Amino acid sequence: MSELTGRTPEEVRSEIKSTRHKAELPLYAITIILSFITIIVLWIFMFRDSGALDSIKDVLATNNITDASPEFNQVLLVCIGFISLIGGIGCLAYFVITLLVGYYKLYAKEMGYSIRVSEKNFPELYAYVKEFTKNLGLKKEPEVYVTQTGSINAFACWVPGKYYIQINAEILDLAYMENKDIETVAFVMAHEFGHVYFHHVNMFYKMWTQFVGFIPVFGQSFLLPLYERAKEYSADRVAQALMNGKQKEECMMLIAVGRHLYKYADMDDYLANVNKDHNFIERFARFVLNITAGHPIAPFRIAAMMDKTKKSGRLL
């Protein structure tokens, strides 16, 4: 039993398994399928417009292999298949290398400008790092960094062999400078541990969905944001399980009004106001805002957090 959160690893993982957003995995499967279809369509158009097919025909004709020859189609198919294989491998390699460069560039910023949470730097927070790692059954502790950015935010990321989490210094100011509220900071970090636990930030998890963004309107503006919102709800449930339900109100108010005012905001009054009756145009405007957002809008996210049945949060 954890002294920090009062949970056992078995209780935490059982709750996470039962409360992961029900739409997340189906949406992930759909994005993978559509990504493969998009890759095939892009390849067909690129190959058709590249003149490669005409070049192959010219070479075959020069060697007296014409379309009147029975060998023509067989040789043509072999040439197309070989060029496709080489081109596909080259494109995939370029795509992977580009992604890795981006990942390492982001990690280099942590190594160059951040302070790593440890037993000596922010030990109260590091105790939660150890606890979360144990309760989630992670083989290796994610590295946690504190960075001065000027905004209230945190994120999880990946480089080969490790996960890491950045917590903006403005959030940590809560615990050490103003409210002595390490638990709210821990809840924010627990949400990022949720992304680590589900491998949301792993390159091999993300790369197969990227080509959906090439689909006009539907892919970039609807499907991908829909999938991202499902992941955020799942990570919120991990945070609730790790923290045994504590600090969810404070964390949501922190996101809504910031580190100075979150302790003074009334959750019940907030929910009463955001859920009051609105006319059709107002409701439609909020609907459009939500469907294009990578994170659920605050009223939907808070409602999911406060739902005692812990059902999947509202996506649309």
Side-chain angles (χ1 to χ4, degrees):
M1 181 76 69
S2 166
E3 295 181 2
L4 293 174
T5 60
R7 308 295 299 274
T8 65
E10 292 74 19
E11 289 174 332
V12 169
R13 290 175 220 166
S14 176
E15 180 176 330
I16 291 171
K17 183 178 180 180
S18 64
T19 58
R20 186 176 189 176
H21 198 284
K22 63 183 180 181
E24 182 192 334
L25 292 179
L27 286 170
Y28 180 51
I30 291 171
T31 56
I32 291 176
I33 293 170
L34 290 180
S35 284
F36 275 111
I37 294 174
T38 303
I39 291 170
I40 293 171
V41 172
L42 288 173
W43 178 86
I44 290 173
F45 278 97
M46 289 173 63
F47 188 81
R48 186 193 66 179
D49 295 336
S50 67
L53 188 59
D54 291 335
S55 298
I56 294 172
K57 288 183 177 180
D58 290 341
V59 170
L60 295 178
T62 301
N63 290 274
N64 296 320
I65 303 176
T66 66
D67 41 7
S69 170
E71 294 89 3
F72 180 81
N73 288 332
Q74 294 180 2
V75 176
L76 185 60
L77 287 174
V78 170
C79 291
I80 292 174
F82 180 75
I83 292 175
S84 300
L85 178 62
I86 298 300
I89 292 174
C91 289
L92 180 60
Y94 175 80
F95 183 62
V96 171
I97 291 171
T98 302
L99 284 178
L100 285 174
V101 168
Y103 278 115
Y104 273 110
K105 183 179 180 181
L106 195 60
Y107 184 59
K109 292 180 65 177
E110 302 299 336
M111 293 188 290
Y113 297 102
S114 306
I115 296 176
R116 184 173 175 179
V117 174
S118 66
E119 293 180 345
K120 293 185 177 180
N121 277 319
F122 315 113
E124 296 93 333
L125 191 60
Y126 182 66
Y128 280 99
V129 174
K130 295 176 65 176
E131 189 67 30
F132 294 167
T133 301
K134 175 184 175 183
N135 284 344
L136 292 176
L138 302 178
K139 295 180 179 179
K140 189 176 182 180
E141 284 183 6
E143 298 175 1
V144 179
Y145 293 92
V146 177
T147 306
Q148 180 74 27
T149 66
S151 63
I152 296 177
N153 199 10
F155 69 83
C157 201
W158 169 93
V159 290
K162 68 179 69 177
Y163 289 95
Y164 66 94
I165 293 169
Q166 176 187 298
I167 299 177
N168 292 4
E170 289 70 25
I171 295 178
L172 204 59
D173 282 346
L174 299 168
Y176 288 90
M177 296 297 293
E178 295 183 25
N179 296 306
K180 306 301 179 185
D181 183 12
I182 192 65
E183 288 186 328
T184 296
V185 183
F187 192 100
V188 173
M189 185 174 69
H191 172 90
E192 304 307 330
F193 264 81
H195 289 306
V196 170
Y197 181 72
F198 288 132
H199 307 292
H200 290 161
V201 295
N202 188 306
M203 181 184 73
F204 302 104
Y205 192 97
K206 296 185 70 173
M207 65 183 295
W208 304 117
T209 67
Q210 298 306 301
F211 287 93
V212 173
F214 287 102
I215 302 175
V217 183
F218 175 78
Q220 187 65 43
S221 300
F222 179 75
L223 182 59
L224 284 182
L226 190 71
Y227 172 51
E228 292 297 324
R229 293 196 296 276
K231 292 195 298 184
E232 293 301 320
Y233 280 126
S234 294
D236 280 345
R237 293 304 188 202
V238 173
Q240 286 185 270
L242 286 172
M243 293 298 295
N244 199 13
K246 295 188 294 184
Q247 306 308 114
K248 58 182 182 291
E249 296 93 340
E250 288 84 351
C251 183
M252 291 296 99
M253 287 296 96
L254 169 65
I255 294 172
V257 298
R259 67 184 185 275
H260 296 293
L261 298 177
Y262 81 103
K263 281 287 187 180
Y264 302 96
D266 185 278
M267 175 66 75
D268 293 333
D269 185 69
Y270 169 81
L271 290 174
N273 279 290
V274 299
N275 292 322
K276 69 179 181 180
D277 291 335
H278 294 277
N279 62 43
F280 172 78
I281 296 177
E282 292 168 343
R283 292 197 304 271
F284 181 73
R286 190 170 73 171
F287 169 79
V288 172
L289 173 67
N290 182 66
I291 64 172
T292 58
H295 286 61
I297 59 174
F300 295 171
R301 193 173 179 187
I302 292 173
M305 283 275 205
M306 302 302 293
D307 182 9
K308 294 182 180 180
T309 65
K310 296 182 181 179
K311 64 183 179 182
S312 293
R314 181 176 173 181
L315 291 177
L316 299 175

